[in-house]
Amino acid sequence: MTKVADNVNPHIYEKESEREITLEEHDENVVDEFDEREIFDLIRNINDPEHPLTLEELRVVEEKNISVDNKENVVHVNFTPTIPHCSMATLIGLSIRVQLLRALPSRFKVTVEVSEGTHVSEHAVNKQLADKERVAAALENNNLVQIINQCVAM
Amino acid sequence: MGKLELLQTLTGHKGIAWNVSWHPQGQVFASCGEDKMIKLWSKEGQEWTVKTVLVDGHQRTIREVAWSPCGNFLASASFDATTAIWDKKSGQFECNATLEGHENEVKSVAWSPSGQLLATCGRDKSVWVWEVAGEDEYECEAVLNAHNQDVKKVAWHPSLDILASASYDNTVKMYKEDSLDSDWSCIATLQSHESTVWSLAFDKTGERLATCSDDKTVKIWKEYKPDNQEGVIVSDRESVWKCVCTLSGYHTRCVYDITWCHKTGLIATACGDDIIRIFKEADDSDSNAPTFELVCTQLNAHSQDVNCVAWNPAGNEELLSCSDDGEIKIWKFSE
């Protein structure tokens, strides 16, 4: 039996244009810190687990819901499930977290949370995503890692 | 103000170093982690070095290691759902017993003060009590399902067969065996933390408990026995545990571990903000509302989350720590 997606007909949004690279960014002598757009670029093309669409196209992730503090080494990402009872919320959050863990330097403390008020189990999902022991255990589960790798494959 | 001097940095684990555990005499310690290895370290001259590496005991992350009080056995708890018991009766360390029963990740293991009982806990929300039944034989005494979420940590009272457990359900529970029917049951629930309780440590009397949590606080709990002179009401002749002190505003992220030295009374914490902090009870501290002062803040103790801290049981103010960065550090505290 094929599982029917939670949200069978999601709204699809326009993609952002590619980032414009400034002259300064080409200058090796200028310290180039991480900014929100860079984090966004790392996660915008993650595939939704249920649709052949990216998290950007579904507006699950948006640049305005990302914050970076290079001094404190903190990255915060809020994501917005397409519907409030989306059963894939934890998997989407885990995919974002895994992608950032793999791509960012280890000095960063990454927090991934559901945007406030956008999911029925917001608190439970956030608590689970914040528990690094559960995340570590999940990443030893080969089936789950395969699914995550399919999501983050670009 | 106190100071932590770094004595040595030990590398050797690949991936996360989850736990370090002192041998009861404080001359050897064990470490474990994501790389599924256990390493035994001891001093050669002034340098700590790896003496033994135990491999092939577990299929997944080894979350915690614990020495028996006699120092002859080492227990290891793994995400592979098993707990292994190692000893060196044959001359070198070998796994001679495997405790199976948990449905999935085992997160903590602890020996009772007599060494006759062992407790384990895990993701399946249960706490198991095992009895040493003979050479290499362990029997399940009880399966305790008091928590409604995964259980992160178990620790025994320092002199009695009373067990405490900390959980993702934000509570701490205590258990003991009923002397009449020899059934284990939950005798107290400690409720005050606002998120996952990651670890706990008794003081040397066992009448106080320190807990640490994802809510960024440390709490000190005091036991009020039946007929206590403070007039705290107890029911069923069982002690009541009350939170008598909350240390908030110090930690900026989740507090993963806490250790309470039974010789010096110092408390150290391991935090997700990469910092090790040391607290000392004030001289004029009131036992019903104790005061603990922050006496040391070791910034950047590790380059990532600090997962575990452990005072040397010898009471020489040596502290071990390990981290997500895979490193183990040995520190010396001085005031």
Side-chain angles (χ1 to χ4, degrees), chain B residues 131-242:
Chain B
E131 191 181 20
V132 182
E135 193 170 319
D136 303 334
E137 274 184 51
Y138 297 80
E139 276 172 10
C140 175
E141 275 267 291
V143 178
L144 301 159
N145 288 301
H147 286 292
N148 57 37
Q149 288 289 342
D150 48 326
V151 190
K152 296 290 195 188
K153 180 89 178 177
V154 279
W156 290 92
H157 184 287
S159 51
L160 304 171
D161 285 342
I162 291 174
L163 180 67
S165 63
S167 166
Y168 189 90
D169 70 9
N170 307 353
T171 72
V172 169
K173 299 208 179 249
M174 292 205 190
Y175 317 82
K176 75 169 187 194
E177 188 180 26
D178 189 303
S179 49
L180 293 176
D181 59 10
S182 67
D183 264 353
W184 283 81
S185 60
C186 177
I187 52 166
T189 299
L190 285 59
Q191 211 153 6
S192 177
H193 278 297
E194 287 165 12
S195 189
T196 303
V197 188
W198 277 86
S199 187
L200 38 77
F202 282 97
D203 77 346
K204 66 174 176 208
T205 65
E207 289 168 0
R208 292 200 294 177
L209 184 75
T211 56
C212 63
S213 162
D214 180 52
D215 69 11
K216 303 172 192 161
T217 72
V218 164
K219 288 178 186 281
I220 310 292
W221 308 75
K222 178 173 155 61
E223 179 184 20
Y224 291 91
K225 294 180 179 162
D227 308 318
N228 61 81
Q229 58 184 29
E230 288 88 355
V232 174
I233 296 163
V234 309
S235 56
D236 298 334
R237 307 294 299 164
E238 290 292 356
S239 293
V240 168
W241 288 80
K242 288 180 68 142

Side-chain angles (χ1 to χ4, degrees), chain A residues 18-33:
Chain A
E18 289 304 309
R19 177 196 181 108
E20 278 182 43
I21 295 171
T22 61
L23 278 174
E24 203 176 71
E25 284 168 334
H26 279 300
D27 184 347
E28 294 289 332
N29 296 316
V30 176
V31 177
D32 187 9
E33 299 204 309

Side-chain angles (χ1 to χ4, degrees), chain A residues 58-60 79-86 89 92 114-115 118-119:
Chain A
L58 294 166
R59 277 206 194 154
V60 172
F79 68 102
T80 313
T82 58
I83 43 167
H85 49 270
C86 174
I92 293 169
V114 173
S115 304
T118 65
H119 197 272

Side-chain angles (χ1 to χ4, degrees), chain A residues 45-61:
Chain A
N45 290 318
I46 295 175
N47 298 303
D48 181 85
E50 293 186 321
H51 304 99
L53 294 164
T54 66
L55 297 187
E56 177 185 19
E57 288 169 306
L58 294 166
R59 277 206 194 154
V60 172
V61 295

